[in-house]
Amino acid sequence: MFKRFDSSNDVSTSTQVKSSVQRGIKSQITTSHPSVTEEILDAFLPKKPPLVQYKIGPHLMLYCKQIEGSGNGDEPIFFQHRDGPILPTLKFVHKYPLVEFTKVTVDRGAIPYLLGGANVMCPGLTNVGGEMPADSDEGPGLAKGDGVVIYAEGKESALAVGFMKMSSADIRKKNKGTGIELCHFIGDGLWDTEEIN
Amino acid sequence: MASVEEITTPVAFLYCGACGMPPEYCSYSPNYETHCIKWLKKNVSPADFLKYTASSNSTADGGEEGGEDAGPPPPSEPWTTKERLVAFYTKYQPDKLDGIDGILEKYAGKEDKLFNALVKKYGPEPDDPYYYGAGSGDEGDVADKMGALDVKDTKKRRGAAAKKVKQVDTRVVVQKISRNRKKAVTHVVGMDTVPGIKLKEASKAFSKRFAGSSSVKDKEIIIQGDHLEDVAEMIVNKFGVSGECVFLDLDGEFVAFV
């Protein structure tokens, strides 16, 4: 999604996020990542100054935090494609390593492919080294369409961000095909964007 | 459970200065050997350096400590430039060993350039046992076959390439262009080579100072009015550019500002 993103060309102007939309973002994140409480989110999405959103293409929104000082710069923290899950940018995930987003781990053999922007195939999650939240009777692991942060076996920092194309139960059962579609990865256009003006 | 305070305080995450990725992923960058390792050596503690290069290194299981099976124990300090050169030429061109002193003199202060050229000409630099332990080198091939993924296969590397550092020497030129007979305009070219300055900001600062309109056009700043010396002075004082990098265009001659 951001493979060929360039902040000087591809973004349109910014608009302030309406407070209703901001509340919506908060609640969405809290539902899909239960460990991230409202309190924590309040620190990242304060009412003042409000978030700012940039449109990238007709269906892609980038939610940014205004940085004081340096005049115009806005730092991307979340993004959303169409009505999909609201996903954090990787720089944000690295900056706040204690925030527990819903995460999966892939087998280390998948790393070079993910760094090129490829999607995560089921075997990367089911092999030794891959990890997904368990499916138990209390609740399913991950449903189709859930946003996840992707870590690699043996590495401390997040590698990519994406959403599930199949539920985790399906992935374990079928073990074939694309499991997670990758939206943002280390080294892509969004990663290189520190500030948008 | 960490408190909300702890969770919401930002961490100053260190990214590799060469490829921009977290250092643990550097080995996936196509320029790992040429750029990342060098940067990591300079900027990261030796313990961390060993940790980050462990995956691409055969001696990941503590070979550095086990000096008994692999020859002399690791030295207590990293190689000096001369030692690096000796290692290089010993590996690739032993008959040039005598010329090393001359090379050192010639490239004094420009060692980075020297090693870049050498790596380009001959190949990867031999490993410094201070960093890699006594047993690197041949064992690297064994690790190749053993690793589940051949990260050493450089064609497979897809991570971020090293950023090409554009050698921008800071160089600012201030010119006066006559608009009408009376009116003049001051052109400032090259403010974008000044690190840490945004053109818009500089332009605003100029217009405030000179009470004249100032605009940014194609990386040039145009200030209404004739303010040659004042502009140069402001650039030196306010923006921290050294006087040697600022040139005044006096009748077609570029004069460095004192």
Side-chain angles (χ1 to χ4, degrees), chain A residues 55-129:
Chain A
K55 236 192 210 170
I56 306 169
H59 302 286
L60 187 48
M61 279 300 200
L62 199 56
Y63 298 111
C64 306
K65 192 171 188 178
Q66 295 171 307
I67 320 178
E68 312 104 51
S70 70
N72 280 343
D74 296 317
E75 181 192 350
I77 42 176
F78 290 104
F79 64 96
Q80 181 184 32
H81 181 55
R82 290 184 190 255
D83 284 322
I86 303 211
L87 299 164
T89 56
L90 279 166
K91 285 256 167 77
F92 179 74
V93 175
H94 290 161
K95 210 168 168 185
Y96 301 96
L98 297 171
V99 177
E100 286 172 24
F101 290 103
T102 319
K103 67 179 205 179
V104 293
T105 312
V106 294
D107 175 64
R108 96 176 27 192
I111 300 181
Y113 302 103
L114 299 194
L115 285 176
N119 293 331
V120 183
M121 299 294 143
C122 296
L125 294 158
T126 54
N127 281 345
V128 181

Side-chain angles (χ1 to χ4, degrees), chain A residues 4-18:
Chain A
R4 284 189 220 294
F5 170 72
D6 182 359
S7 68
S8 42
N9 291 335
D10 302 336
V11 279
S12 64
T13 49
S14 69
T15 44
Q16 274 194 355
V17 179
K18 282 203 295 191

Side-chain angles (χ1 to χ4, degrees), chain B residues 64-131:
Chain B
E64 318 93 52
E65 290 124 340
E68 318 99 62
D69 46 313
S76 54
E77 278 170 359
W79 279 341
T80 61
T81 310
K82 183 165 183 180
E83 285 171 325
R84 283 169 72 189
L85 277 176
V86 170
F88 226 106
Y89 281 116
T90 317
K91 184 170 177 185
Y92 295 111
Q93 197 109 40
D95 40 283
K96 286 205 173 167
L97 279 173
D98 295 331
I100 285 188
D101 284 324
I103 296 180
L104 275 175
E105 262 194 67
K106 193 173 165 195
Y107 282 94
K110 295 186 274 180
E111 284 86 11
D112 282 333
K113 269 196 185 164
L114 167 59
F115 284 104
N116 275 339
L118 284 174
V119 169
K120 234 179 170 178
K121 186 168 181 190
Y122 293 114
E125 189 178 331
D127 293 333
D128 183 346
Y130 174 75
Y131 291 106

Side-chain angles (χ1 to χ4, degrees), chain A residues 152-184:
Chain A
E153 172 203 352
K155 306 285 185 193
E156 285 176 8
S157 27
L159 170 63
V161 159
F163 64 89
M164 311 294 289
K165 281 235 111 169
M166 298 161 56
S167 72
S168 51
D170 272 345
I171 294 181
R172 279 184 243 261
K173 204 165 43 170
K174 293 189 195 149
N175 207 16
K176 246 186 153 202
T178 309
I180 303 182
E181 183 168 317
L182 220 71
C183 300
H184 170 43

